Amino acid sequence: MIVAIDGPAGTGKSSTSKAVAAQLGLSYLDTGAQYRAITWWMVSNGIDIDDPSAIAAVAGKPEIVSGTDPQGPAITVDGVDVAGPIRTQEVSSKVSAVSAVPEVRARITELQRSIAASAEQGIVVEGRDIGTTVLPDADLKIFLTASPEARAARRSGELKGSDVHSTREALIKRDAADSSRKASPLAKADDAVEVDTTELTLAQVIECVVTLVEEKRAAK
């Protein structure tokens, strides 16, 4: 059972995906963390983020290993635990530029497909292009949405001390970058189920997705 959960930042993708995977005994993959990890590596190694050809030239160098336990999803780069460092504002501000480079997407997409293929119990994979590009044959595709205001409020709650207005502006800017990039843009797959989380609590979103997965399982 492969479940693809896509959507822009702040819609509750990670929290929902982890909880659904844990509840249903599935593996879990945060694909955004992989793009953050390769971005962290680029920044740490002094690669010019404004030069796509420089990024492309070294896209194959870092060894990225993703754990798939929803209770504690680990991620390492060249053996270094980067779960904390990849969440910094510096990485957040540069990840769209790095992830837009086709060579980076090809490398990470290949990694994601191999992880999904080796998940014996099934897997919940969350990101921005899972249902459209990475796993177009996923058993169930879900696209989470929410208003920019709701997303900004959630994201600024996660990023302690951040301003809701500036968070909203940053999210809208990120959406535009991710939706307009040539390589695997953020988009809803034609056969995805759209779930608007604006008025829903996290528990309600999780319940909704679990129900969709169980219905799909029963129909298989």
Side-chain angles (χ1 to χ4, degrees):
M1 182 79 189
I2 293 180
V3 182
I5 300 185
D6 288 309
T11 51
K13 281 198 310 287
S14 294
S15 304
T16 300
S17 300
K18 274 188 273 201
V20 169
Q23 207 167 314
L24 297 175
L26 302 171
S27 295
Y28 161 75
L29 179 61
D30 175 359
T31 65
Q34 295 176 314
Y35 283 108
R36 286 174 170 274
I38 199 165
T39 302
W40 173 85
W41 184 89
M42 298 280 174
V43 171
S44 300
N45 284 275
I47 308 301
D48 183 357
I49 303 301
D50 298 320
D51 182 354
S53 60
I55 293 171
V58 294
K61 284 195 169 181
E63 185 192 2
I64 298 167
V65 178
S66 297
T68 57
D69 177 0
Q71 309 283 11
I75 185 157
T76 63
V77 179
D78 297 335
V80 178
D81 177 358
V82 294
I86 63 171
R87 302 292 169 186
T88 62
Q89 187 52 47
E90 184 180 21
V91 170
S92 297
S93 66
K94 293 179 170 136
V95 68
S96 284
V98 173
S99 58
V101 176
E103 289 81 359
V104 169
R105 296 209 77 78
R107 161 89 200 286
I108 301 293
T109 296
E110 185 184 346
L111 182 60
Q112 291 161 359
R113 286 176 179 157
S114 68
I115 291 169
S118 62
E120 293 175 7
Q121 304 302 318
I123 191 166
V124 178
V125 184
E126 57 120 332
R128 284 170 164 73
D129 65 339
I130 311 307
T132 52
T133 303
V134 180
L135 300 167
D137 297 326
D139 299 291
L140 175 63
K141 300 175 188 177
I142 294 167
F143 194 84
L144 298 184
T145 63
S147 71
E149 290 72 24
R151 292 163 50 213
R154 289 171 191 163
R155 188 43 65 93
S156 54
E158 292 167 13
L159 307 165
K160 303 289 181 279
S162 66
D163 167 58
V164 175
H165 177 72
S166 58
T167 302
R168 179 178 179 274
E169 295 305 309
L171 285 174
I172 291 172
K173 188 176 173 186
R174 174 106 195 251
D175 289 349
D178 291 346
S179 303
S180 62
R181 66 170 177 244
K182 289 186 174 66
S184 309
L186 164 67
K188 179 189 163 196
D190 294 338
D191 53 348
V193 179
E194 186 167 323
V195 178
D196 187 335
T197 69
T198 305
E199 302 293 334
L200 302 178
T201 63
L202 178 59
Q204 288 171 324
V205 179
I206 293 165
E207 185 185 354
C208 172
V209 174
V210 165
T211 301
L212 288 168
V213 176
E214 288 178 333
E215 284 173 355
K216 193 57 124 174
R217 267 181 170 170
K220 281 187 85 169

